[in-house]
Amino acid sequence: MWITPEEVLLANALWVSERANPFFILQRRKGHGKGGGITGLLVGTMDVVLDSSARVAPYRILHQTGDSQIFCSIACGSSRKEITEHWEWLETNLLQTLSIFDNNEDITTFVKGKISGIIAEENKSKAALEDEDSGKFREAELKMRKLFGMPGEEKLVNYYSCSYWKGRVPRQGWVYLSVNHLCFYSLLLGKEVTLVVQWTEVTRLEKNATLLFPESVRVSTRHTEHYFSMFLNVNDTFKLMEQLATIAMRQLLDNEGFAADHSLPKACKTLKNVSALKRDLDARAKNERYRALFRLTQDERLDGHTDCTLWTPFAKMHIVGQLFVSNNYICFCSREEDLCQLIIPLREVSIVEKADSSSVLPCPVSISTKNKMTFLFANLKDRDFLVQRISDFLQRTPESGHSVSQSEGRCAVWVYPLREPSQRRHYSPSLPTATQSLLRIYQKDAPEEHGPKATKEKMKEESWNIHFLEFGRGVCMYRTSKTRELVLNGIPESLRGELWLLFSGAQNEMDTHPGYYAERVEQAMGRCTLATEEIERDLHRSMPEHHAFQNEMGIAALRRVLTAYACRNPGIGYCQAMNIVTSVLLLYCTEEEAFWLLVALCERMLPDYYNTRVVGALVDQGVFEELTRACLPFLYEHMQELGVISTISLSWFLTLFLSVMPFDSAVLLVDCFFYEGIKVIFQVALAVLHANMDTLLDCNDEGEAMTILGRYLDNVVNKQTVSPPIPHLHALLTSGNEPPPQIDVFQLIKSSCEKFGSLRADVIEQMRFHQRLKVIQSLEDTAKRSVVRAIMTDSAFSIEELEELYVHFKAKHIMSCYWGASTTAAERHDPSLPYLEQYRIDLGQFCQLFGALGTWLCGTHTATLAARLFRLLDMNKDGLINFKEFVTGLSGMYHGDMTEKLKLLYNLHLPPGKQGKTQLCRHCIQCNIVISVSEVKDYKYYLRMWAMENEPKKETIKDLRRMNQEQFIELCKTLYNMFSEDPLEQELYHAIATVASLLLRIGEVGKKFTNNGANKPTDTTNAQAPAPAAELLQPEKEEPNGESSSGQSLVCRALAEAQLETLPQQTSDEEVKDDTSVSSYSMVSTGSLQCEDIADDTVLIGCAGDQQRQGSILDGDWSITFEQVLASMLTEPPLVDYFEKKGDIQARMSICKMQRRVERQVSSSSDHELAQLST
């Protein structure tokens, strides 16, 4: 490419001149290409270690004038072909012009101006996004694609200098982190080390520091481990690796690919080695931490943060912390944990103004809200800019009434479109559960209690009212350690719904989406889906012991909330345990409030808990095991032997202890959970194990340990509750003659905070990342085993072969997700389907796998044959096939007998659209190949028996349709190409020529019988072979050009017997060039081309002597049957041996596994090939 002219002082230090003229020199870098000796090795090593641009562009063109020692670089190239094009352009367009100039300075000025003008024109056509990345980074991206054979769709995120430990020797080089791959390259003294790891294959990623590997990063896959060390900034590198691995796991989990954020604001200056994608990922990481810290919605994006102080009227002091500003919120968090936290929605802001500065209060900003609260921030570094940003966001906020210090912006009011109340059939504000919680509805007629429990409850309410007066009430409340203390002591029932909404962040989402719940209810109710069926089945299992759900009012409210959420989030739909949690939410909240709490729970606070594979709960189960090992090591070892932790913890986390603990006690844990998050659940779970440690250590089996823990949790009581006691069904079933002592839930919570209060949310998130890699890869392995078990009885492949085939199939599917394809990734992957049908590939990917794994390879004809097989396997005609259908096609080629293989080949050459689904299914069943047209849910034995009874009868070979002459010619072409690389190709050519000759005669004879002896005049003449054809039927003579020619002539002779005679051989290449096409088809004679040159769009015509027939001579009356094909083939032992031979799938899969590596080596231009361009 052309580069901005720069002076070069030492033109020949590390470069070799290959061409020269009076004004320009073409040079090659030492160490690139063949030769170079020790100097070339040292230069190549230096280029890799120092990340020299010569690694990407080992060719360059310099400009020089006369005897001047100053040179100017004007062009560089990654290949000889590229640099040669630039050189030829210079010789053609500039040499003659430059010879006119008399002054060397004028020549240099003209050349620089000309090259700069070319570069300016090229830059105009470049996309704007490319300008965001520095030239140095774009150079590194080109280098990555060249070294590893990556396509243009693969985007580099960042690259780092490091050492890769190959054995005991570290290899210094560069690690390239792209969106989908981790790549490493090193070249030391001529020895290359290349490594490519897909992020989707990573099972473990950890940073450690040992004596052998100081500050190293370990990347583990299923089969090997890789160690990288000697990073300049290991923390930055590891964080980026974590982000990319997380994106890959998300892709495996729900097929969510990576999409760059194009709305990201441009950087003030272009950073040298930081790409736009790296900035994007950094911004995403900050957004995620910001949203998790303040419980904000997923679309909230952090605009910036700054250090400041906040004046706290309740403490009469300034608190040091950080101020965060996003598109809808202003948030503050103290530097000291739990000291103070504040969330101010911009919709609540009325005035933002700059207050007077003083030495005591420098650069203050005052923010007032609609509920008459004022917040004073000071010590702001850039106050004017902050106020301007807040002003901009206020103008975009869909509320009116904002006022900013200098100006007041107009704001549009946004309201969710609502239906008229008369149009609503399922939900309306007049419903009791639309305005009140179920608990309040059923307790309004109950007599008021005046006992000690009621007094205690009144005292709690009064404490919260005092707290509201001091710290504020609503979304703008100061959240301090005092707030946490009140939550741990229990939230009063009258305030529980309000505070759950506040602490979870659901209040903000509900306020910004008025009418959303009602719309979802109307949209979802009345539909019949898998989710609604599961909801109906579980409705009456949701807290059946509570009187609120023993009538239609509570059941109907629960149905509406669950159905509305299933409509909102089809990816989750409905999962067991959601009914238990939602029923508790409805006891203390209205329907709409319960809906938004469920949204906060499923989408933010318990991510991935309630999807089809409960991945989030399994991840936290792994985190719990890790915490148990760290906090209770002796108990952990014993519990692992019994296998108890994985059994008990899943139900604890999925239902937040609601299903294993009395309701009045478990709801207090829910209070703490909404305030502090998942760490409370971990703390309580560890406290339960610690309280039963001695008893658990004496257990001898899993059942005994579960009984001990179950009875302990059954007897965790809330002695302060004012609600009537609710019987706990599990406690009634497991209680013995002597019930164990009761445990006060407040004491349990206090004990958990004292013993395990050191748990931090950021540590839990780090542990979640490690467990997520392990869990998702484990689920992928489970899916693979399930698929293999489902089809192993219908396939002759071994279990190991099926598992490896599945790996190749899934790899193609995943590759299509990020390198583009004809169909979207979502169409190919549906997690709700059975494992067997989740991954699907299209025609292009099938052709690639067919070429790598198939046994019927036909050279250039392979793609055509693969397309025909794909058409046969794609029963539902959606352009995609699943793994079972893929194995079906391979099974026919590898494990069928001769009859089955020929039958499949025969069907592949019949025209599409005429063979029905039933016929294809019958054919594949007879070949021991089962294709599923409509997958039956095989849950019970009688269903399988019913399916077997209704299975269509097997089709015999007599039921196959007849093949016409055109289709037979296609079959001959396929067979000829299949034999081209076989060790016995000469014998096979002889055999197929004999068979073709016989079948062509059979077809001619059969045509006479079908015409009842009434032959046409042309048929009478055709009964006798014309002279050219008769000559070809004479015993063959060995051709001087080898055995292949005689085989080709035999096939041509066979074709000639069907009046597809050959013409004299062409005498020169000029005659070929003079051939012209008379239509979209090539009208040529069979003798004018070799058999392998017969293309798919060729219509064969023949001639007798000097008289040439007009049009195509393909005979529409000519046909043969499969029985005739099979009988003819059986007469030739070489063909019988070929089709009876079993293929070696393992060898093909080994070649396929190496294919990517070979592609990367071939993708870089060969110096030998490019050298021919310069000669």
Side-chain angles (χ1 to χ4, degrees):
M1 62 180 177
W2 301 109
I3 58 176
T4 304
E6 293 181 357
E7 288 188 358
V8 177
L9 297 179
L10 299 175
N12 299 312
L14 301 174
W15 297 80
V16 179
S17 297
E18 295 194 341
R19 291 188 182 186
N21 58 42
F23 303 104
F24 304 104
I25 302 175
L26 188 153
Q27 294 185 326
R28 171 179 58 83
R29 183 75 165 182
K30 291 181 179 179
H32 180 79
K34 297 181 180 180
I38 187 66
T39 304
L41 294 178
L42 292 174
V43 172
T45 301
M46 183 182 67
D47 287 342
V48 171
V49 173
L50 300 180
D51 191 30
S52 170
S53 60
R55 246 346 253 178
V56 177
Y59 299 93
R60 71 179 182 180
I61 297 176
L62 302 181
H63 165 64
Q64 66 165 356
T65 54
D67 298 329
S68 174
Q69 297 300 314
I70 299 177
F71 299 83
C72 227
S73 62
I74 59 173
C76 63
S78 59
S79 65
R80 192 183 299 273
K81 180 180 179 182
E82 180 184 0
I83 204 69
T84 302
E85 290 176 354
H86 286 56
W87 179 265
E88 292 175 350
W89 186 90
L90 290 172
E91 288 185 328
T92 304
N93 296 281
L94 289 189
L95 277 185
Q96 187 174 359
T97 305
L98 295 178
S99 62
I100 300 174
F101 288 91
D102 297 328
N103 191 337
N104 289 338
E105 292 183 1
D106 293 340
I107 292 175
T108 302
T109 303
F110 177 81
V111 170
K112 288 183 177 180
K114 189 68 175 178
I115 299 301
S116 299
I118 294 174
I119 294 173
E121 288 296 324
E122 289 179 349
N123 289 339
K124 287 181 181 179
S125 60
K126 288 184 178 179
L129 276 177
E130 293 183 0
D131 296 334
E132 293 187 18
D133 295 338
S134 66
K136 183 72 175 174
F137 190 86
R138 289 200 298 272
E139 185 180 286
E141 190 169 43
L142 292 174
K143 185 189 303 182
M144 179 200 73
R145 292 174 185 164
K146 176 185 176 183
L147 290 174
F148 307 105
M150 299 293 179
E153 293 85 358
E154 185 69 2
K155 301 298 182 183
L156 178 66
V157 181
N158 214 347
Y159 64 105
Y160 303 91
S161 173
C162 70
S163 291
Y164 170 59
W165 291 78
K166 188 175 184 182
R168 297 182 179 179
V169 180
R171 304 299 299 266
Q172 185 66 28
W174 293 84
V175 62
Y176 298 86
L177 305 180
S178 69
V179 173
N180 305 294
H181 295 88
L182 179 152
C183 307
F184 176 83
Y185 180 79
S186 172
L187 175 65
L188 294 179
L189 300 179
K191 291 186 177 180
E192 280 188 322
V193 174
T194 304
L195 173 71
V196 178
V197 178
Q198 283 188 351
W199 290 116
T200 52
E201 295 297 322
V202 174
T203 57
R204 190 174 182 83
L205 187 66
E206 59 183 352
K207 180 180 63 176
N208 50 25
T210 62
L211 185 61
L212 183 60
F213 303 114
E215 283 201 336
S216 63
V217 174
R218 182 173 71 174
V219 181
S220 303
T221 63
R222 288 179 175 83
H223 308 294
T224 185
E225 293 182 345
H226 307 284
Y227 289 89
F228 302 89
S229 62
M230 304 292 288
F231 290 99
L232 295 177
N233 190 342
V234 67
N235 292 325
D236 181 54
T237 307
F238 186 71
K239 286 179 181 177
L240 180 56
M241 286 181 172
E242 283 185 328
Q243 284 182 284
L244 295 171
T246 301
I247 291 171
M249 293 306 106
R250 176 58 56 185
Q251 182 177 310
L252 286 177
L253 182 60
D254 53 18
N255 221 51
E256 218 177 81
F258 176 80
D261 188 357
H262 298 300
S263 60
L264 196 69
K266 289 189 177 182
C268 300
K269 60 178 181 179
T270 302
L271 302 178
K272 181 179 179 182
N273 293 326
V274 178
S275 66
L277 281 178
K278 178 67 167 62
R279 289 178 53 238
D280 184 358
L281 290 173
D282 289 342
R284 292 180 188 221
K286 290 180 180 179
N287 287 335
E288 288 172 4
R289 289 195 294 270
Y290 170 64
R291 291 192 294 258
L293 181 61
F294 298 104
R295 306 276 172 78
L296 302 177
T297 57
Q298 296 297 324
D299 57 349
E300 198 63 27
R301 297 175 52 174
L302 178 64
D303 186 69
H305 60 91
T306 182
D307 294 332
C308 69
T309 59
L310 171 65
W311 170 254
T312 52
F314 54 88
K316 301 294 189 282
M317 61 181 292
H318 292 277
I319 295 179
V320 179
Q322 280 193 320
L323 181 70
F324 300 83
V325 178
S326 61
N327 47 330
N328 293 300
Y329 297 91
I330 301 171
C331 303
F332 174 84
C333 184
S334 61
R335 186 174 298 171
E336 183 180 345
E337 191 176 5
D338 291 334
L339 187 58
C340 183
Q341 192 182 84
L342 183 65
I343 302 173
I344 309 173
L346 291 181
R347 66 179 184 276
E348 297 291 330
V349 174
S350 59
I351 299 175
V352 178
E353 58 184 353
K354 293 182 285 188
D356 296 333
S357 296
S358 65
S359 57
V360 180
L361 201 64
C363 299
V365 170
S366 173
I367 299 177
S368 301
T369 63
K370 297 175 182 177
N371 58 355
K372 310 302 180 184
M373 293 184 69
T374 301
F375 305 96
L376 187 62
F377 299 94
N379 291 283
L380 294 163
K381 293 181 180 178
D382 196 346
R383 181 176 63 166
D384 294 338
F385 178 76
L386 175 66
V387 172
Q388 183 60 45
R389 290 302 294 166
I390 296 175
S391 171
D392 294 341
F393 285 127
L394 282 173
Q395 292 182 16
R396 303 174 200 163
T397 303
E399 283 291 342
S400 57
H402 304 301
S403 175
V404 187
S405 54
Q406 289 91 357
S407 62
E408 186 169 340
R410 295 182 179 179
C411 306
V413 178
W414 177 86
V415 180
Y416 196 86
L418 298 176
R419 299 189 186 191
E420 294 296 330
S422 59
Q423 297 177 347
R424 297 179 187 163
R425 298 181 294 108
H426 302 284
Y427 177 81
S428 68
S430 60
L431 288 172
T433 51
T435 55
Q436 299 181 75
S437 65
L438 287 174
L439 209 59
R440 184 164 297 181
I441 292 173
Y442 286 97
Q443 288 183 350
K444 62 182 180 180
D445 297 329
E448 186 177 355
E449 294 188 11
H450 299 283
K453 291 184 178 181
T455 304
K456 184 73 174 178
E457 186 75 4
K458 290 290 184 183
M459 291 175 62
K460 285 184 183 180
E461 292 180 7
E462 189 61 28
S463 298
W464 276 98
N465 288 330
I466 295 172
H467 184 273
F468 291 149
L469 288 174
E470 189 175 359
F471 297 91
R473 186 167 187 171
V475 290
C476 299
M477 179 178 70
Y478 290 98
R479 307 177 193 198
T480 66
S481 55
K482 178 67 175 176
T483 312
R484 180 176 181 271
E485 183 181 338
L486 288 175
V487 172
L488 293 179
N489 289 329
I491 298 176
E493 290 188 351
S494 60
L495 298 174
R496 185 161 276 146
E498 174 189 344
L499 293 177
W500 283 359
L501 286 166
L502 177 63
F503 297 145
S504 66
Q507 183 70 56
N508 289 319
E509 204 160 5
M510 185 173 70
D511 290 346
T512 54
H513 294 79
Y516 179 91
Y517 171 68
E519 286 294 316
R520 293 285 80 77
V521 171
E522 297 300 326
Q523 181 181 350
M525 294 298 290
R527 287 185 176 182
C528 183
T529 63
L530 180 62
T532 57
E533 291 177 4
E534 293 176 346
I535 289 171
E536 290 297 328
R537 188 169 58 245
D538 287 349
L539 282 177
H540 295 278
R541 305 175 189 171
S542 309
M543 296 188 68
E545 66 276 12
H546 200 287
H547 59 274
F549 295 98
Q550 294 171 355
N551 57 75
E552 185 55 32
M553 181 187 295
I555 295 296
L558 182 60
R559 178 187 293 112
R560 285 190 290 269
V561 173
L562 291 174
T563 307
Y565 185 77
C567 176
R568 167 189 167 87
N569 193 342
I572 292 179
Y574 171 77
C575 175
Q576 285 187 346
M578 287 175 66
N579 59 322
I580 297 175
V581 176
T582 308
S583 59
V584 174
L585 299 179
L586 282 169
L587 290 176
Y588 298 99
C589 307
T590 66
E591 280 188 41
E592 186 174 10
E593 292 170 346
F595 171 81
W596 288 113
L597 277 171
L598 186 62
V599 170
L601 203 68
C602 296
E603 298 175 13
R604 296 196 300 275
M605 303 190 72
L606 295 176
D608 300 322
Y609 257 60
Y610 300 106
N611 57 23
T612 53
R613 295 189 280 183
V614 293
V615 172
L618 293 174
V619 168
D620 282 349
Q621 176 181 293
V623 172
F624 180 55
E625 291 185 14
E626 199 171 336
L627 290 172
T628 306
R629 180 172 55 188
C631 302
L632 306 169
F634 296 108
L635 180 61
Y636 170 79
E637 293 179 4
H638 185 65
M639 297 284 278
Q640 283 296 98
E641 294 176 2
L642 301 179
V644 176
I645 295 181
S646 59
T647 305
I648 60 174
S649 55
L650 195 61
S651 60
W652 293 3
F653 295 131
L654 273 175
T655 63
L656 305 175
F657 285 96
L658 289 167
S659 63
V660 296
M661 194 181 286
F663 169 74
D664 294 326
S665 303
V667 77
L668 292 174
L669 299 183
V670 179
D671 292 344
C672 301
F673 167 76
F674 277 124
Y675 186 77
E676 291 197 289
I678 193 63
K679 78 171 186 176
V680 174
I681 306 300
F682 286 123
Q683 289 174 354
V684 172
L686 290 170
V688 170
L689 293 184
H690 184 269
N692 294 275
M693 183 186 299
D694 296 336
T695 326
L696 290 172
L697 288 173
D698 295 333
C699 291
N700 297 318
D701 57 54
E702 178 186 0
E704 186 180 355
M706 292 183 65
T707 301
I708 290 171
L709 291 172
R711 297 194 69 183
Y712 177 87
L713 292 171
D714 289 338
N715 289 277
V716 176
V717 297
N718 178 6
K719 300 178 180 179
Q720 298 180 10
T721 181
V722 295
S723 300
I726 302 172
H728 191 223
L729 295 181
H730 188 263
L732 295 175
L733 295 173
T734 58
S735 60
N737 297 328
E738 295 182 4
Q742 294 182 337
I743 300 95
D744 188 0
V745 66
F746 292 102
Q747 193 61 37
L748 177 63
I749 294 174
K750 181 180 178 182
S751 173
S752 69
C753 293
E754 291 175 353
K755 291 184 174 68
F756 308 104
S758 59
L759 283 180
R760 297 203 322 269
D762 58 338
V763 175
I764 291 175
E765 285 303 316
Q766 185 68 27
M767 296 169 73
R768 275 178 164 178
F769 166 74
H770 293 301
Q771 292 298 326
R772 190 176 292 112
L773 291 178
K774 180 180 176 182
V775 166
I776 293 180
Q777 296 292 10
S778 176
L779 289 173
E780 290 296 307
D781 291 339
T782 302
K784 179 174 66 176
R785 289 191 295 270
S786 300
V787 169
V788 169
R789 281 197 304 268
I791 65 175
M792 60 183 296
T793 56
D794 299 325
S795 172
F797 290 118
S798 66
I799 295 177
E800 294 76 15
E801 290 171 345
L802 286 172
E803 287 182 349
E804 195 164 348
L805 282 173
Y806 181 81
V807 170
H808 289 296
F809 187 87
K810 191 181 81 169
K812 280 294 178 187
H813 164 86
I814 291 176
M815 197 173 294
S816 71
C817 295
Y818 51 74
W819 282 353
S822 58
T823 53
T824 63
E827 293 174 354
R828 301 156 180 264
H829 180 68
D830 185 357
S832 64
L833 292 174
Y835 287 134
L836 190 63
E837 301 178 15
Q838 284 191 11
Y839 294 114
R840 296 184 289 173
I841 58 175
D842 62 12
L843 174 60
Q845 295 165 322
F846 177 79
C847 289
Q848 294 173 13
L849 285 176
F850 182 87
L853 300 174
T855 57
W856 295 346
L857 302 183
C858 310
T860 57
H861 195 61
T862 302
T864 303
L865 188 64
R868 289 172 175 167
L869 181 57
F870 183 87
R871 183 192 70 213
L872 188 70
L873 297 174
D874 184 18
M875 300 301 298
N876 57 1
K877 306 302 178 187
D878 64 347
L880 298 170
I881 62 171
N882 59 35
F883 180 67
K884 184 176 182 179
E885 294 166 338
F886 173 70
V887 171
T888 293
L890 288 184
S891 297
M893 290 187 287
Y894 276 95
H895 298 293
D897 58 22
M898 180 178 181
T899 304
E900 293 164 357
K901 291 179 180 178
L902 287 176
K903 200 172 178 184
L904 183 57
L905 265 176
Y906 186 89
N907 274 283
L908 290 180
H909 291 82
L910 294 178
K914 295 183 180 180
Q915 195 164 6
K917 293 184 178 180
T918 305
Q919 285 182 300
L920 286 175
C921 190
R922 288 177 182 174
H923 158 66
C924 294
I925 289 174
Q926 186 170 356
C927 296
N928 294 323
I929 304 168
V930 180
I931 296 179
S932 173
V933 178
S934 57
E935 190 70 23
V936 179
K937 299 294 183 183
D938 190 13
Y939 294 124
K940 296 182 180 180
Y941 174 76
Y942 74 87
L943 287 177
R944 292 197 296 270
M945 297 301 296
W946 174 83
M948 291 175 62
E949 291 174 1
N950 289 274
E951 186 177 311
K953 293 182 179 180
K954 291 183 178 180
E955 184 183 53
T956 65
I957 58 177
K958 294 183 178 180
D959 297 327
L960 293 175
R961 292 181 294 116
R962 301 178 69 89
M963 178 178 281
N964 63 29
Q965 195 174 78
E966 182 181 3
Q967 296 153 12
F968 174 69
I969 293 172
E970 292 294 327
L971 178 61
C972 288
K973 289 196 308 183
T974 299
L975 291 171
Y976 171 80
N977 287 294
M978 283 170 58
F979 303 150
S980 61
E981 297 181 3
D982 194 272
L984 302 175
E985 69 174 319
Q986 186 60 34
E987 290 82 354
L988 290 169
Y989 286 157
H990 279 271
I992 193 60
T994 304
V995 170
S997 174
L998 178 60
L999 288 172
L1000 288 166
R1001 290 176 181 273
I1002 291 173
E1004 289 294 330
V1005 174
K1007 183 176 65 173
K1008 296 178 182 180
F1009 282 100
T1010 55
N1011 291 335
N1012 297 321
N1015 293 327
K1016 299 177 183 179
T1018 56
D1019 293 332
T1020 305
T1021 59
N1022 289 342
Q1024 298 179 354
E1031 293 174 4
L1032 288 171
L1033 288 172
Q1034 298 298 322
E1036 63 271 18
K1037 297 179 182 180
E1038 196 69 28
E1039 295 287 337
N1041 58 350
E1043 296 178 352
S1044 179
S1045 299
S1046 62
Q1048 295 169 7
S1049 62
L1050 286 170
V1051 178
C1052 292
R1053 292 175 188 177
L1055 294 175
E1057 291 198 80
Q1059 302 306 320
L1060 305 177
E1061 63 271 48
T1062 60
L1063 289 177
Q1065 297 293 323
Q1066 293 177 348
T1067 58
S1068 68
D1069 293 336
E1070 294 297 321
E1071 296 178 16
V1072 180
K1073 295 180 181 178
D1074 292 336
D1075 288 342
T1076 55
S1077 174
V1078 298
S1079 69
S1080 61
Y1081 292 92
S1082 298
M1083 308 296 291
V1084 297
S1085 62
T1086 58
S1088 65
L1089 63 160
Q1090 300 294 337
C1091 292
E1092 69 269 22
D1093 296 330
I1094 301 176
D1096 293 333
D1097 58 354
T1098 300
V1099 177
L1100 299 172
I1101 63 173
C1103 64
D1106 296 329
Q1107 295 180 356
Q1108 195 171 20
R1109 283 196 193 91
Q1110 300 295 325
S1112 172
I1113 54 84
L1114 290 176
D1115 197 335
D1117 295 330
W1118 186 98
S1119 66
I1120 56 174
T1121 65
F1122 175 74
E1123 293 173 285
Q1124 294 167 342
V1125 174
L1126 177 60
S1128 302
M1129 292 280 192
L1130 288 173
T1131 62
E1132 295 295 327
L1135 292 176
V1136 175
D1137 294 340
Y1138 179 87
F1139 284 105
E1140 289 289 350
K1141 181 174 59 179
K1142 301 296 182 183
D1144 185 5
I1145 188 69
Q1146 285 290 356
R1148 302 296 304 178
M1149 287 191 291
S1150 299
I1151 296 173
C1152 186
K1153 193 180 296 183
M1154 298 295 294
Q1155 186 177 6
R1156 276 297 299 161
R1157 189 176 302 174
V1158 172
E1159 285 175 358
R1160 294 188 195 102
Q1161 294 173 357
V1162 173
S1163 65
S1164 57
S1165 301
S1166 170
D1167 286 338
H1168 176 70
E1169 294 175 354
L1170 297 177
Q1172 299 176 358
L1173 298 172
S1174 61
T1175 58

